[in-house]
Amino acid sequence: MWVGMDGTGRVMNRTKLKQIGLDLPLLPTTTVGSFPKPPSLMRARGDFARGKISAAALRKEEEKATAFWMETQEELGIDVVVDGEQYRGDMVAYFAEKMGGFEIGDLVRSYGNRYYHKPIIVGEIRWPGPMTVDWWKYASRMTSRPVKGMLTGPYTMLDWSFNEHYPSRREACLALAKEIRKEVEALLEAGAKMVQIDEPAISVRVEELPWVIEAMQVATDGLQAYFLTHICYGAFEYVYPKVLEMPVDNIDLDMSLTAARRLALMQKDRFSKDISYGVVDVHSHVVEDADAVQQRLQQALTVLDPEQIWVDPDCGLKTRTVEEAVEKMRVIVEATRKFRGELIRNTRPA
Ligand SMILES: [Zn+2]
């Protein structure tokens, strides 16, 4: 019997979830955070940028889109939901535009053919007051399910910006962490029990990993919540197993295309936390079928315990169409339900 098996990390995480009042099913389903913006919101964002509509009118469209995604997640039966980030353009710029100490720079090229305005740290980083709390509350009012608070981590904020103020990258990162912690506290104050602090940039420079961990410590230390972090599309083999020192309960990873390699690493050095296990590719238009997803879960169980696994897409779904995103989530829920049912039947003591 795997439940409560060995008294280590994963079991502690289940206990912690219960302590903070969250009773989740085996293999909880969730998503990484972003959903596509419906065409009406895309039009409104364009109109707002051209000065044709007011900030209030744009906000109305963002609220409508958020409500749509809340209803959709409810209908699909996702266990742990998100607000869908309909109010964000870029995950770093959204926060940089609000926080003190940043200026927004010229367009630079990031991955592929995407261009973005790279923020510049020009002064002391300052938390401006709640940046995501209103949206968390707005989303939470529409559901009885737990809603994750969603933040961009200090290291990714730093790595995707220019630093012209702090003497070192480490100091800039720790300054960001100190201020991001205030947003975490504001979310907890509002009632959030889970906060995801995304660090997709984590595997960019392996030598910086010790203070990425230190920064996460600054942002979360002593706070009573279930913490997650999302890491994706990087050289995971360079940061593993050191990344297990991140002071979070759950690490969210893209696994659908990389499972064999990564599970081999996790076999060698046991994955000691909960994992949000990506089972669908977010860069493909093709919607996986439920059997394929169940096979991926079966493969996960060759190395991981069911108690430590959450199920989600590889990354945010914002680059898919609304229809594709919905269908990809539908297949995750359908496959997980079947898989969960079989697992419970098969492990029930005789
Ligand atoms: Zn990602």
Side-chain angles (χ1 to χ4, degrees), residues 95 127-134 150-151 178-189 195:
F95 293 99
W127 181 65
M131 299 179 279
T132 60
V133 176
D134 276 357
M150 303 297 296
L151 304 175
K178 209 171 109 235
E179 299 305 295
I180 290 168
R181 180 188 175 93
K182 296 175 185 168
E183 184 71 13
V184 176
E185 288 171 342
L187 281 164
L188 302 190
E189 178 88 1
V195 181

Side-chain angles (χ1 to χ4, degrees), residues 32 91 200 230-233 254 282 314-316:
V32 173
M91 68 182 285
H230 169 65
I231 296 172
C232 67
Y233 302 112
D254 57 302
V282 299
D314 278 344
C315 191

Side-chain angles (χ1 to χ4, degrees), residues 100-258:
F102 279 101
E103 265 174 20
I104 302 303
D106 292 333
L107 275 180
V108 298
R109 187 171 181 163
S110 63
Y111 40 91
N113 268 324
R114 296 174 76 99
Y115 286 80
Y116 74 112
H117 288 276
K118 189 163 175 167
I120 310 164
I121 302 171
V122 293
E124 196 182 325
I125 303 288
R126 281 181 319 277
W127 181 65
M131 299 179 279
T132 60
V133 176
D134 276 357
W135 285 110
W136 183 87
K137 285 186 184 163
Y138 182 77
S140 295
R141 278 197 294 273
M142 282 181 259
T143 182
S144 57
R145 297 167 193 266
V147 181
K148 292 192 276 191
M150 303 297 296
L151 304 175
T152 302
Y155 184 72
T156 301
M157 288 291 298
L158 165 74
D159 196 64
W160 295 0
S161 306
F162 294 112
N163 167 32
E164 292 182 354
H165 177 74
Y166 292 90
S168 69
R169 283 168 58 84
R170 176 174 172 273
E171 280 161 272
C173 184
L174 294 177
L176 278 157
K178 209 171 109 235
E179 299 305 295
I180 290 168
R181 180 188 175 93
K182 296 175 185 168
E183 184 71 13
V184 176
E185 288 171 342
L187 281 164
L188 302 190
E189 178 88 1
K193 292 175 172 174
M194 299 185 176
V195 181
Q196 183 173 315
I197 305 176
D198 293 333
E199 287 290 20
I202 197 168
S203 51
V204 174
R205 294 181 180 82
V206 182
E207 69 281 7
E208 296 182 340
L209 188 55
W211 50 262
V212 182
I213 295 166
E214 191 185 350
M216 191 60 91
Q217 192 77 37
V218 169
T220 61
D221 193 34
L223 300 177
Q224 186 63 0
Y226 183 88
F227 287 104
L228 309 94
T229 189
H230 169 65
I231 296 172
C232 67
Y233 302 112
F236 184 72
E237 60 275 23
Y238 295 126
V239 295
Y240 195 80
K242 178 81 178 166
V243 72
L244 293 172
E245 291 171 28
M246 286 281 269
V248 295
D249 302 287
N250 186 316
I251 301 182
D252 185 329
L253 294 168
D254 57 302
M255 294 295 284
S256 79
L257 305 176
T258 53

Side-chain angles (χ1 to χ4, degrees), residues 224-297:
Q224 186 63 0
Y226 183 88
F227 287 104
L228 309 94
T229 189
H230 169 65
I231 296 172
C232 67
Y233 302 112
F236 184 72
E237 60 275 23
Y238 295 126
V239 295
Y240 195 80
K242 178 81 178 166
V243 72
L244 293 172
E245 291 171 28
M246 286 281 269
V248 295
D249 302 287
N250 186 316
I251 301 182
D252 185 329
L253 294 168
D254 57 302
M255 294 295 284
S256 79
L257 305 176
T258 53
R261 253 187 359 257
R262 290 184 179 181
L263 286 170
L265 293 173
M266 293 172 187
Q267 178 110 57
K268 197 163 152 275
D269 292 288
R270 195 176 69 84
F271 195 88
S272 56
K273 297 183 182 296
D274 292 346
I275 180 170
S276 296
Y277 194 97
V279 290
V280 299
D281 182 7
V282 299
H283 292 134
S284 163
H285 293 288
V286 179
V287 178
E288 290 82 349
D289 66 49
D291 285 344
V293 171
Q294 287 201 69
Q295 278 164 24
R296 286 171 181 170
L297 290 173

Side-chain angles (χ1 to χ4, degrees), residues 20-44:
I20 57 179
L22 292 166
D23 194 12
L24 298 177
L26 188 63
L27 305 169
T29 51
T30 189
T31 62
V32 173
S34 70
F35 292 138
K37 296 179 178 73
S40 54
L41 175 55
M42 290 307 288
R43 262 194 313 277

